[in-house]
Amino acid sequence: MSKKKNNTAGGIVYSTDPNYSFQQEPEEEVNTLAPADQVLRVILDKKQRAGKVVTLVTGFVGKEEDLEKLGKELKTKCGTGGSVKDGQILIQGDYREKVVKWLLDWGYKKTK
């Protein structure tokens, strides 16, 4: 097993400059947009999934916690598994119509 590397220096391993001090850039906080302002896309995908289909919800702008909360709600409503990765919600199976209906009911007006 490999150990996770702590990448706090942003790729800097060693510096010969005796006066060098590493300064981390502050992370920008992304505010979650209101549901009416979100432009979400609901698509069916089966690439690199051994032929199994998943429903993808993409285009969410906001905090990771809010995305995970939305993903959990959608998985609960569909009664299936899934995950939240790379700013996308993956729901196992073809639930496009149900997901779009629930998102519209929850106020996500610009959902396709």
Side-chain angles (χ1 to χ4, degrees):
M1 288 206 287
S2 65
K3 295 182 181 180
K4 288 187 176 183
K5 295 181 180 178
N6 190 358
N7 194 9
T8 58
I12 297 175
V13 178
Y14 180 77
S15 175
T16 58
D17 184 10
N19 298 326
Y20 178 78
S21 64
F22 177 73
Q23 297 176 356
Q24 289 185 332
E25 297 177 10
E27 293 183 18
E28 296 180 19
E29 289 189 27
V30 179
N31 293 331
T32 303
L33 292 177
D37 297 333
Q38 296 277 0
V39 180
L40 299 180
R41 301 280 184 219
V42 180
I43 59 174
L44 190 68
D45 188 30
K46 63 179 181 178
K47 294 179 183 174
Q48 298 178 349
R49 290 175 173 75
K52 297 188 167 110
V53 294
V54 295
T55 304
L56 279 177
V57 180
T58 60
F60 186 85
V61 177
K63 296 180 182 176
E64 188 71 25
E65 297 87 32
D66 296 334
L67 179 64
E68 289 178 6
K69 182 180 174 186
L70 178 62
K72 182 172 174 133
E73 287 291 324
L74 288 173
K75 290 186 293 182
T76 302
K77 289 287 187 181
C78 293
T80 186
S83 64
V84 176
K85 293 182 185 176
D86 302 326
Q88 298 178 338
I89 300 171
L90 288 88
I91 300 171
Q92 296 172 352
D94 184 3
Y95 292 98
R96 287 176 291 184
E97 291 86 21
K98 288 183 180 182
V99 169
V100 169
K101 178 186 171 291
W102 284 315
L103 288 173
L104 289 174
D105 290 343
W106 291 337
Y108 292 90
K109 302 293 183 200
K110 299 178 183 178
T111 302
K112 293 183 181 180

